[in-house]
Amino acid sequence: MRFLFKTDYDQDIRLFKHGGQVFWYGLLMALLLTAPFTVGEYVMSQLHFIFIYSIVGLGLMLLVGFTGQISLGHAAFLAVGAYTEALLQAKGVPVFISLPCAALFSAAAGLIVGLPALRLKGIYLAIATLAFNVIVEEVITRWEGLTGGNSGLHVKPVELFGVKLDGDAGFFYLCLGLTVLSILALMNLLRSPTGRAFVAIRDSEISASCMGVNLAKYKTLAFAISAALTGIGGALYAHKVSFISPEQFTLLQSIELITIVILGGVGFLHGAVLGAAFLIVLPQLISLAKDYLPANVGSSGLQAVVFGLVLIGFIIFEPLGLYGRWLKLRTWFELFPFYRKGMFRRQKSYMKSERLR
Amino acid sequence: MSFFRVENLGIHFGGVVAVDDVSFEVKRGEVYTIIGPNGAGKTTIFNLIGLLYPATAGRIFLEDKPLAGSVPHRVAQLGIARTFQNIELFEHATVLQNLLIGRHRHRAASLWQELLFTPAARRAELAAREAVEQVIDFLDLAKYRDSLVAGLPYGVRKVVELGRALATEPRLLLLDEPSSGLNPEETDDMAFWIEDIRRHLAVTVLMVEHDMNLVARVSDRVLALNLGMVIAEGTPAEVQAHPAVIEAYLGKAA
């Protein structure tokens, strides 16, 4: 077990708390940087998707895991990002302008959705965001002049400063870079007053406002930042799949995105990345398993069933998600043989004061 | 100029008149206590001051400036901090993080500085930490600094909540039943702290409290309420001996 001797407030603020973290994250980074030379085309393609979904997952994690606002409409922000990127790229706008535009447009959409969040909570907010998802999907389908409707849009490969990133490696580094930047930005935010205000809103709106947190401002801000990250993810997604149409941004997509957050572990940035990796790897495992199953079991509905079962299983048996499972495992090893079963159980809270709203 | 003043405050919920025509004034640097039987409207007055309820009548002034028309977070930014009767902490955060949220009104860095964590943002963080450490030192919370609030005993949570309010560096501190749920020893500590807050931090305290020993020990003046109306005001001894107060608590002699 590691004991940290703290002699400086800076030790609680810095991103890497000790040498072990520097080593392991450094190793991970080195492996990822050399990945284009060591892994095949297929794995490379899966890694692209993992990074894209990680960015989206991070955005959603900020909203759901840290601000406590549920959203069942994030596919809409994904769509806004993807279509913005596709249309601007078609006009010949360079990617270092179109990508921020995709983020900006999504953030604007996020602000609009954030407005009902000021009045709605829990399941009602979920329904409002769900409705937003359906509206955006419908608008994209009907606005044929702009979006091509159901016949979709083709998206060119990324071109950065005249260099085409259509090769796997170039696009890989772009996705990796943006994922790392997103993580750093969120970590910075979470160690500053803004991040703490988000967490305060999650845990108790009433006392957050009594501490001077402007609920309206911070809730819409959370929606905007979350949507901006999702928009960036959407733009990368458009480049990756090179063809976008409304049926990629349905409610089912939104549910897959929320699955990332729940499987990964609500309230952990690690959870967003782990959840994204799980979401991408699981279908591959299912299709591998199909070879060993009777022909009629391995039909197309299998994936949805497995996803549903996994989601339910996690909610019942491991509400802290994959990252929570890892924390428990690590603590078990650190404390061996003194680990107790209830160590991570959250204590029932004392009576809340009179509910004012 | 008065420091804090409430004039003809009133609120009714439907036909129930919770607070009716209550006026009082708190002088700078004193401990002013509101007492009264259950349902007298004490906590409601706090919620009216915090603008959590819209008052149906009356006005509230801090340093002669009316609070009306404001929103709850503005009240905090003006320097009025409060604790809750049944504790409203941020459960899934550590004690340190809870206290740091108290520094919210003193934040100095912009959103962009925070996203990039520029040297200015770091300096602001270190300054906030230093201010919070003073509160931790003051309330003797050092050993709980990194514990999650969700796992702490009730008595410690009460102190953490007091600490969070102090971390805002308030001018006026509203304490809603600081001793409820505490054992005699913890109540004693609370009395010490309230005295220290007034003496060393020069914070004015407005308190709702049932424990008459605590009230008599720390308060300069006491206001007694019953059924939303003021029945007595004065020093603790005066109010305790007031016939209307005795009647409100014990009933009329047969």
Side-chain angles (χ1 to χ4, degrees):
Chain A
M1 185 162 192
R2 189 188 299 271
F3 290 97
L4 292 180
F5 180 58
K6 291 181 185 168
T7 53
D8 189 353
Y9 295 151
D10 215 32
Q11 277 174 297
D12 276 341
I13 293 175
R14 66 178 59 145
L15 289 177
F16 295 109
K17 301 289 186 250
H18 52 77
Q21 286 184 337
V22 177
F23 174 76
W24 288 111
Y25 287 113
L27 189 69
L28 179 66
M29 199 64 201
L31 282 177
L32 286 174
L33 284 173
T34 53
F37 312 105
T38 53
V39 302
E41 204 174 308
Y42 173 73
V43 176
M44 193 84 284
S45 175
Q46 297 304 310
L47 283 173
H48 292 162
F49 275 115
I50 289 177
F51 285 136
I52 292 167
Y53 276 97
S54 292
I55 296 174
V56 178
L58 287 164
L60 197 53
M61 188 61 85
L62 181 75
L63 190 68
V64 178
F66 291 100
T67 322
Q69 309 294 308
I70 189 86
S71 166
L72 279 181
H74 258 54
F77 302 128
L78 199 69
V80 172
Y83 273 91
T84 309
E85 179 76 4
L87 293 169
L88 288 176
Q89 288 277 295
K91 290 255 185 305
V93 178
V95 74
F96 59 86
I97 295 177
S98 67
L99 208 56
C101 280
L104 218 62
F105 272 59
S106 286
L111 281 178
I112 296 168
V113 183
L115 292 178
L118 305 180
R119 292 171 181 278
L120 300 174
K121 266 182 202 161
I123 190 101
Y124 302 101
L125 180 61
I127 292 170
T129 51
L130 189 153
F132 177 73
N133 196 154
V134 176
I135 292 167
V136 168
E137 193 193 325
E138 202 58 27
V139 167
I140 292 171
T141 314
R142 301 289 164 116
W143 199 347
E144 290 183 0
L146 186 72
T147 63
N150 276 323
S151 43
L153 275 182
H154 283 279
V155 189
K156 293 186 297 183
V158 183
E159 206 179 304
L160 205 56
F161 307 114
V163 185
K164 261 204 164 72
L165 299 183
D166 52 352
D168 283 336
F171 190 63
F172 174 82
Y173 287 126
L174 179 67
C175 292
L176 175 63
L178 286 172
T179 309
V180 171
L181 283 181
S182 309
I183 292 173
L184 285 178
L186 287 189
M187 286 179 85
N188 284 340
L189 206 59
L190 289 171
R191 56 180 170 158
S192 338
T194 305
R196 285 196 294 268
F198 288 155
V199 175
I201 290 174
R202 176 190 72 187
D203 283 358
S204 168
E205 285 191 12
I206 179 83
S207 63
S209 71
C210 287
M211 288 293 118
V213 175
N214 183 341
L215 294 182
K217 180 182 158 193
Y218 282 94
K219 275 191 192 174
T220 40
L221 184 65
F223 263 97
I225 296 174
S226 173
L229 284 174
T230 311
I232 293 174
L236 293 173
Y237 176 85
H239 282 299
K240 177 62 192 167
V241 298
S242 75
F243 173 77
I244 50 173
S245 64
E247 66 256 32
Q248 290 161 339
F249 306 106
T250 57
L251 175 61
L252 275 176
Q253 174 76 273
S254 287
I255 292 175
E256 270 193 23
L257 297 180
I258 204 98
T259 310
I260 293 180
V261 175
I262 294 171
L263 291 191
V266 177
F268 306 106
L269 286 183
H270 292 87
V273 180
L274 288 174
F278 192 80
L279 190 82
I280 299 302
V281 171
L282 190 63
Q284 316 302 327
L285 293 179
I286 292 172
S287 57
L288 277 179
K290 268 183 190 168
D291 297 343
Y292 303 97
L293 292 170
N296 52 347
V297 177
S299 59
S300 59
L302 185 63
Q303 189 173 326
V305 171
V306 174
F307 259 105
L309 285 177
V310 167
L311 189 60
I312 293 170
F314 264 96
I315 290 172
I316 294 175
F317 297 111
E318 189 51 280
L320 295 178
L322 288 168
Y323 189 66
R325 179 50 44 191
W326 157 245
L327 281 183
K328 286 175 189 173
L329 197 69
R330 197 177 66 184
T331 314
W332 190 86
F333 277 110
E334 276 178 353
L335 295 182
F336 183 82
F338 298 115
Y339 183 81
R340 286 178 291 112
K341 221 180 162 189
M343 284 182 91
F344 282 83
R345 186 169 300 153
R346 284 180 177 168
Q347 208 164 343
K348 225 162 78 185
S349 57
Y350 291 93
M351 187 173 69
K352 288 280 181 184
S353 77
E354 65 286 7
R355 285 286 156 209
L356 291 146
R357 263 169 280 209
Chain B
M1 188 180 96
S2 69
F3 176 67
F4 181 78
R5 189 166 84 245
V6 168
E7 277 178 6
N8 311 102
L9 198 63
I11 186 172
H12 54 82
F13 302 101
V16 180
V17 182
V19 175
D20 187 15
D21 200 26
V22 170
S23 304
F24 61 89
E25 192 185 322
V26 181
K27 296 192 192 105
R28 191 187 302 274
E30 75 174 341
V31 175
Y32 191 91
T33 305
I34 302 175
I35 62 164
N38 290 329
K42 307 178 296 289
T43 299
T44 309
I45 288 181
F46 271 25
N47 287 339
L48 287 169
I49 294 172
L51 301 183
L52 296 173
Y53 295 149
T56 38
R59 295 193 294 173
I60 303 160
F61 297 89
L62 180 68
E63 289 180 338
D64 287 332
K65 281 192 278 292
L67 293 185
S70 213
V71 272
H73 67 262
R74 284 289 305 151
V75 175
Q77 280 160 10
L78 288 174
I80 299 180
R82 72 172 288 183
T83 65
F84 293 84
Q85 183 177 355
N86 293 312
I87 305 185
E88 281 278 348
L89 284 166
F90 308 114
E91 295 276 327
H92 304 300
T94 63
V95 169
L96 183 64
Q97 286 164 337
N98 266 279
L99 297 186
L100 281 170
I101 292 168
R103 300 297 302 170
H104 189 81
R105 79 182 184 102
H106 301 282
R107 70 199 180 286
S110 70
L111 180 64
W112 293 110
Q113 285 174 325
E114 287 178 3
L115 278 170
L116 301 172
F117 216 72
T118 58
R122 185 178 294 270
R123 272 196 304 278
E125 268 313 286
L126 290 174
R129 177 68 190 271
E130 221 165 285
V132 162
E133 285 296 334
Q134 276 172 12
V135 175
I136 288 179
D137 208 35
F138 182 76
L139 295 178
D140 208 8
L141 281 170
K143 67 176 165 176
Y144 301 110
R145 195 187 280 122
D146 292 319
S147 330
L148 277 187
V149 167
L152 290 177
Y154 194 86
V156 180
R157 288 157 171 250
K158 277 263 113 56
V159 181
V160 174
E161 212 190 19
L162 176 65
R164 188 180 62 180
L166 284 179
T168 67
E169 284 179 32
R171 288 190 284 172
L172 177 65
L173 181 62
L174 310 183
L175 301 176
D176 197 350
E177 298 202 18
S179 81
S180 74
L182 299 186
N183 64 31
E185 204 178 316
E186 290 166 334
T187 308
D188 217 36
D189 285 343
M190 191 57 84
F192 268 120
W193 280 321
I194 294 171
E195 284 170 343
D196 277 1
I197 286 167
R198 192 245 308 254
R199 196 170 309 138
H200 297 303
L201 305 182
V203 175
T204 310
V205 178
L206 174 59
M207 168 168 97
V208 163
E209 181 53 61
H210 278 298
D211 185 328
M212 283 315 290
N213 286 328
L214 178 64
V215 172
R217 180 169 158 188
V218 301
S219 327
D220 295 298
R221 286 189 303 147
V222 176
L223 178 83
L225 287 182
N226 190 27
L227 303 173
M229 281 177 290
V230 176
I231 52 175
E233 191 188 10
T235 64
E238 279 168 21
V239 170
Q240 252 178 311
H242 197 285
V245 176
I246 295 170
E247 190 192 317
Y249 275 94
L250 302 175
K252 251 194 186 84

